[in-house]
Structures are given as structure tokens and as C-alpha cells.
Amino acid sequence: MSDPPASPSPGSGYASAPAPAGAAAGGSAGSGGGSGPGNGVPSEELLLEEGPILPMLDGAEAPPLALSPDMEVQRLVASDPTAHVEVRLDAYQEIIDGEVGDTTLARARNLERETGLRQIYLKFEGGNPSGTQKDRIAFAQVKDALRRGFDALTVATCGNYGAALAPAAALAGLRCVIHIPRSYHTRRLEEMERAGAEIVLVEGDYERAVLESREIAERDEMYDANPGGANTALQLQAYGEIAYEIYDDLRDAPAAVAVAVSNGTTLAGIYRGFLSLFRRGRTSKMPRMIAGSAARKNPIVQAYLKNLPHCEDLDPQSIRETPVNEPLINWHSSDGEHALQAIRATGGWAGDASDREMLAQARNLRDKQGLNVLPASTASLEVLLERHRREPLGGDRYVVVLTGRKA
């Protein structure tokens, strides 16, 4: 790889750069994992067996964010290092309000007819700038860094979080250093570099990349945007906005919310959002939280299935990664305890989904609902429908959170 590009100047934009060829649909359901050479099922074999759906398998390939004229003015203010911090924060919040969140919640009537489960709603996070829910925490972390006087951020990623954080940092005029395991292959790398991020390739897995990112943050006094630790409360609050948006559309809590898990932060944040609504008397009940992940490859799901009191790290050497399960792979879930507690507190459940099942669900959503989603993000949909096949669920409202780009 060539030397990483320098960070953009505050006045430079990234919206005019063309999108890379072969843009792919989909979005990550979580951090962790990667398909290095020789790991898992060979992608060619898998795809030939399942059909020509290679564009489904990579992270969401979002076009460069094109700001409206008034938002462009706010960008110039937010990224101006000579402006007062409060002025920059106000401008950055305007960008967040205009670009992040308020994603679509749509009823999947064709899926209902096919499965006999009514009513299924799809919360499609592909409407965010990077095509995933990661924008919610990326912009929140950048705003926090700006408020606290940092001029640089660092994070470890397998693709989607970095693709969200890089442009979010550029909009605020902050330097962004992204650590990626050398063996991982993501087409989102070009997006990160286009937004001005500095890429550091790390020998080892995702957890090793997190460790190196944290060490550099401490050594160079950079903002640590990695999941877990001091960032947990902020990230849970950001993902809690998904619950508020679901409530705004349904005017109450649904019977259940199904979320694909890796670190568990998204599920835990949605739970916290609904808990706040319930405690304030805005909803009549708490939704049951449902978690889905790659078969036998996630500590949260394994702890639930084995009725363990806490999440336990998995053996990294026993995990085989594939192009399908890669976004879900995580031998250590940084917010796993929060997610496991949410599942049990609401009477929810967790389960596994195979590569074949996730691919089938993604193809079905494309054909029946017109959505291109990352197969990994359908893990919880498979877990929800598998329970319905075994024990028919009553007529109510069921929400499934998905990531990707519209077809």
C-alpha cells in the first residue's frame, strides 16, 4: 500500500470524488472479524453454490456525501480551527440533524405473506451517509472529540465503522487514523482514504488492532473512538435514537426488536432507548430483544444458548471466518454484558444463523422487498423467523434492524 494520504484541510471537501467502480450493497452489523487468506469457506466456492450475489457480501458502498448549500456553509464553520468551539459544535450538530438518522421503517408485507408472521417492520439503516448504523456513533464520537478539544481521532475497524468515522471527522476538520488488520480485505478502504483518513495496517486480528489504536491514542493524546470503556455510554445513547425513531413511527413499542450482534452495542443501545421511553410512560411495554449472529461465533449468543451468567471470550483459533459471516465475527464482545442483560431482562432470545441462511434471507429481501442488505445483518431476521416456524408467534408488530443500500 502507498503511504496514507494527508488529512484534508478544513476547507477541502470529499463530496466531489467519484464512487469506486463495482459499488456493493450491504452494511455491517457490527465490528470484528475478517477473512484472511486460507480462512473459512473460499468465497468462489460459496458464491458459485449460492448464485451470483458477490455485490451483497462487502460493506455498504456509499456514494460521497453531497451536502446541500446550507449544510456546506455549516461544514466550513465546523471545520474552521479558528472559530470558537461552541460555534463549531452548533454547526456540526446541524449537519448531524440533517444527515444522520431518521431512517426508514417500512412494513414488509410480502415477507409477511410468505412467512405467515404479521406484522414485520424493517428498520433500514442504509439511509445513513455510510449506509450503516455506524454513522450514529461516528458522528457522536466526532462531536465529543471536538467538544473536548481533540484535533485527532483513532479507531480500529474491519471496514464500516472506519468508513463512517473518516468522513465524519473530515466534516469537523479533525485528523482520523484508522487501524485495520492487514489480512482483512474491504472495499471500504478507498472510501476512508478518499475522506482523508490515515490507514495503519496491523499484523493480527481485530482485537490486536483495537489494542494498537488505544495505545496510540494514549501516547499521542488522540481521541479513542473504539467501542467499550469510556465510550460505552455515549455509543449506547447514540444507538438509543433508533428506539426513539421506531416509537415515533409506531407510537408504542413493538412486540420485539431483532438485531444482528457482534460487539452488542447496537442492541444494547436500542434497549436503553426503549427503557427510557417505558420509564417515562411513553410506551405500554418493553419490546423483547432478539439477537442473531454467526453460528457458534459470538460470545453473546453462546452465553445465552449455554445459559452462562456472563459472556465468555471464545477461542480465536476455533473461529473460521467467511465472506458472509465476517462482519459478525468477534471472539470478544466489548459490550456483550449489556446486550446479554437486555435480552434476558426483556424475555427475548438469541440464536445462530448459518451462512446459507443469511444469504437466503438477503436474496429474499432483495427479491420480495426491493432491499439490498448485507447478509450478515439478516442474522436476527433468521432467528426471529426460526422461532416462528417452531412456535408460531402471535399477531403483533416485530421490528428487524437491517443495514445496506437501497436497490
Side-chain angles (χ1 to χ4, degrees):
M1 173 176 291
S2 59
D3 292 336
S7 297
S9 62
S12 67
Y14 57 89
S16 60
S28 176
S31 301
S35 53
N39 289 342
V41 181
S43 59
E44 295 82 5
E45 176 183 335
L46 179 64
L47 294 172
L48 286 173
E49 183 179 347
E50 295 294 342
I53 57 172
L54 179 60
M56 285 184 169
L57 292 180
D58 205 8
E61 192 74 45
L65 179 60
L67 298 176
S68 62
D70 58 329
M71 287 295 102
E72 180 63 21
V73 171
Q74 300 302 330
R75 182 189 70 80
L76 292 173
V77 174
S79 61
D80 182 1
T82 66
H84 191 278
V85 65
E86 292 299 330
V87 175
R88 295 177 68 185
L89 286 169
D90 287 344
Y92 196 73
Q93 184 61 52
E94 291 242 4
I95 296 174
I96 295 175
D97 292 341
E99 303 295 338
V100 181
D102 291 325
T103 55
T104 302
L105 181 71
R107 188 168 173 183
R109 294 184 183 275
N110 290 334
L111 189 59
E112 291 175 15
R113 296 185 184 101
E114 181 179 73
T115 63
L117 176 61
R118 307 174 73 90
Q119 310 166 34
I120 304 174
Y121 288 84
L122 306 179
K123 180 62 170 170
F124 187 64
E125 288 290 284
N128 286 308
S130 74
T132 80
Q133 80 276 16
K134 298 293 184 180
D135 292 286
R136 295 179 184 270
I137 59 173
F139 278 79
Q141 302 273 216
V142 170
K143 183 182 176 183
D144 190 48
L146 186 61
R147 178 184 63 83
R148 294 168 57 185
F150 285 90
D151 59 9
L153 305 89
T154 179
V155 75
T157 183
C158 303
N160 290 313
Y161 188 22
L165 191 67
L171 287 169
L174 303 183
R175 178 175 165 233
C176 184
V177 180
I178 298 176
H179 294 70
I180 299 177
R182 186 180 295 276
S183 63
Y184 291 7
H185 301 88
T186 173
R187 282 181 282 177
R188 308 221 71 175
L189 183 62
E190 185 175 339
E191 290 181 67
M192 300 177 215
E193 293 178 321
R194 188 171 63 226
E198 301 170 32
I199 306 300
V200 178
L201 298 180
V202 177
E203 300 296 342
D205 60 11
Y206 168 72
E207 295 298 334
R208 179 63 196 174
V210 171
L211 179 61
E212 290 199 15
S213 176
R214 291 196 188 282
E215 290 174 349
I216 288 178
E218 183 175 356
R219 185 192 70 198
D220 297 343
E221 297 184 349
M222 301 172 67
Y223 184 95
D224 181 357
N226 288 288
N231 292 329
T232 297
L234 180 63
Q235 294 191 351
L236 294 181
Q237 182 180 23
Y239 282 140
E241 293 292 331
I242 297 176
Y244 303 147
E245 291 172 19
I246 293 172
Y247 167 78
D248 286 343
D249 284 331
L250 300 183
R251 307 313 302 171
D252 200 353
V257 178
V259 186
V261 296
S262 181
N263 276 323
T265 317
T266 305
L267 184 147
I270 295 173
Y271 164 75
R272 293 287 183 90
F274 275 113
L275 184 61
S276 175
L277 289 166
F278 181 70
R279 286 173 172 171
R280 289 184 284 133
R282 304 293 292 276
T283 65
S284 63
K285 60 182 180 293
M286 283 291 294
R288 302 171 77 178
M289 301 303 300
I290 303 170
S293 197
R296 299 177 300 282
K297 297 175 178 65
N298 183 267
I300 302 166
V301 175
Q302 289 303 296
Y304 175 85
L305 294 177
K306 296 178 180 179
N307 199 29
L308 300 176
H310 302 286
C311 290
E312 295 181 355
D313 289 347
L314 306 181
D315 177 10
Q317 302 304 317
S318 68
I319 295 177
R320 297 183 63 81
E321 300 144 356
T322 74
V324 177
N325 70 34
E326 178 182 80
L328 299 173
I329 294 298
N330 225 352
W331 58 265
H332 170 77
S333 293
S334 59
D335 292 316
E337 290 299 311
H338 296 291
L340 184 62
Q341 188 272 335
I343 295 165
R344 287 174 170 161
T346 60
W349 65 90
D352 289 332
S354 69
D355 284 7
R356 187 182 300 275
E357 290 166 338
M358 289 185 282
L359 284 167
Q361 291 294 350
R363 182 188 291 112
N364 201 38
L365 288 171
R366 180 192 61 191
D367 296 343
K368 299 292 177 60
Q369 298 298 146
L371 291 178
N372 273 352
V373 302
L374 187 73
S377 75
T378 70
S380 65
L381 173 61
E382 172 61 30
V383 171
L384 171 67
L385 295 180
E386 171 58 24
R387 170 64 69 92
H388 178 62
R389 289 189 285 267
R390 290 188 290 105
E391 306 170 17
L393 300 171
D396 208 322
R397 296 181 292 189
Y398 301 85
V399 174
V400 181
V401 179
L402 299 168
T403 62
R405 304 297 296 178
K406 286 186 178 179

